[in-house]
Amino acid sequence: MELRHLRYFRVVAEELHFRRAAERLHIAQPPLSSQIRQLEEELGVQLLTRSTRRVELTPAGEVYLDRVREILDAVDAAGEQAHRVAEGMQGALTIGCVGSATYSLFPRLVRALRDELPGVDVSVRGEMLAPDQVTALEAGRIDLALLRPPVTSARVVVEPVRHDRLIALVPDSHRLAGRGEADLADLRDDDFVMHAGHGRSALNGLVTGLCADAGFVPRIRHEVTETSTLVTLVAAGLGVSVVPEPTSALDIAGVRYLPLRPEAGIDLSAAWIPEPASPVVERALTVLRRIAAE
């Protein structure tokens, strides 16, 4: 038995007329009659009664028609679902995100994905440092990452999304809080709150290098993995920091965000593993590139 036998039977049962059914199926009437007889012979059940004037379903045929409709509807739905998955319109997507992007680009991305890809189940893992995101990509725990390079894994593709300016973050009681900007050298005597070092945060290495260019080594008193925690510690007066400008979207009382001199910045990049190819990730990247361009 083949699916075409079921499709032929359904049309004949709906039309109760072999000529009309053959026209609807775009086949000749004799082969259609032959296919229905083959189906009945294989089942060992008469599905239709035929006369020169009319065609009628037998009681067995009525029951069989109900199940045939269920089967064919399920087959059609499965094919449609397969096409949607292959086109990246259905499936699951887990996104990891560095903290400073969590408060700006990331919410817009998730909203756009839910609007444009309603068949994709989007889940998020925020406040992840780059090495943790790379590990999660390689382990298959996330599908797409928003992180700060560099990335050393040969399996991971990295694509710049935007370049974020760095700003100084100081308590509102700080001597520089009332200024319009902050020179990095003016922070040489302050304690610093920074993201985790030892290669875990690209920002840690960048800020340390900028301080060296300004003629001092930052006195790091606190290292954290979450940007929200970093801002909270600065608000508590436990130090100053240098962060990407989107962090200013985090509304925590007690801090001041100041443009930094000399001006410096850091990339935000998308990262993913291209093999095996994921249509959902490709769709998400298309949305991400458009949002970043806006």
Side-chain angles (χ1 to χ4, degrees):
M1 186 186 302
E2 300 178 14
L3 279 177
R4 61 187 172 89
H5 292 113
L6 302 185
R7 296 189 190 281
Y8 290 169
F9 171 72
R10 180 174 63 180
V11 174
V12 172
E14 290 172 351
E15 295 291 341
L16 294 178
H17 196 285
F18 275 90
R19 179 180 56 79
R20 290 197 301 267
E23 291 173 352
R24 182 172 155 187
L25 290 165
H26 305 291
I27 62 174
Q29 182 176 334
L32 176 59
S33 299
S34 176
Q35 294 290 328
I36 297 301
R37 282 195 299 272
Q38 289 178 17
L39 176 61
E40 290 177 318
E41 290 172 0
E42 183 165 349
L43 291 173
V45 174
Q46 185 177 0
L47 301 173
L48 300 164
T49 58
R50 308 155 175 84
S51 70
T52 56
R53 294 186 176 182
R54 60 193 305 174
V55 176
E56 293 183 332
L57 284 167
T58 66
E62 292 177 355
V63 172
Y64 193 66
L65 176 60
D66 290 339
R67 297 304 302 271
V68 164
R69 283 171 169 159
E70 293 175 4
I71 292 168
L72 293 177
D73 288 346
V75 169
D76 292 341
E80 181 180 346
Q81 184 176 17
H83 279 292
R84 288 178 60 80
V85 171
E87 294 169 358
M89 300 298 293
Q90 185 171 334
L93 179 72
T94 302
I95 309 174
C97 187
V98 70
S100 55
T102 304
Y103 316 115
S104 55
L105 179 68
F106 197 52
R108 291 165 47 216
L109 172 62
V110 173
R111 285 195 298 269
L113 290 173
R114 288 178 173 170
D115 289 342
E116 299 179 32
L117 303 175
V120 175
D121 181 15
V122 179
S123 57
V124 300
R125 293 188 60 190
E127 297 278 6
M128 296 181 70
L129 296 178
D132 298 328
Q133 292 192 63
V134 172
T135 299
L137 283 171
E138 293 179 324
R141 293 194 298 271
I142 64 174
D143 306 298
L144 179 64
L146 290 175
L147 49 71
R148 306 287 182 186
V151 171
T152 58
S153 172
R155 294 180 58 199
V156 177
V157 172
V158 179
E159 178 182 316
V161 172
R162 72 181 186 196
H163 189 71
D164 291 329
R165 185 176 63 168
L166 294 180
I167 57 176
L169 178 63
V170 301
D172 58 9
S173 59
H174 193 272
R175 64 187 182 282
L176 302 179
R179 296 190 184 180
E181 61 183 29
D183 291 331
L184 187 57
D186 291 339
L187 303 176
R188 67 172 63 245
D189 296 324
D190 288 281
D191 292 337
F192 272 72
V193 182
M194 292 177 62
H195 287 90
H198 308 291
R200 296 196 63 204
S201 166
L203 189 59
N204 181 295
L206 176 60
V207 173
T208 300
L210 291 173
C211 291
D213 292 340
F216 71 99
V217 175
R219 191 167 63 241
I220 302 173
R221 294 303 187 192
H222 302 278
E223 287 190 354
V224 300
T225 58
E226 296 184 351
T227 302
S228 57
T229 301
L230 182 150
V231 177
T232 300
L233 293 180
V234 172
L238 298 180
V240 301
S241 192
V242 175
V243 296
E245 188 172 25
T247 305
S248 62
L250 186 59
D251 187 17
I252 292 180
V255 297
R256 293 288 186 272
Y257 299 97
L258 305 174
L260 186 66
R261 296 289 180 268
E263 188 171 314
I266 187 170
D267 284 338
L268 176 67
S269 296
W272 70 98
I273 294 179
E275 298 293 340
S278 169
V280 171
V281 170
E282 290 299 326
R283 286 274 184 180
L285 285 169
T286 298
V287 175
L288 174 60
R289 291 171 185 131
R290 189 191 72 246
I291 291 176
E294 295 172 354

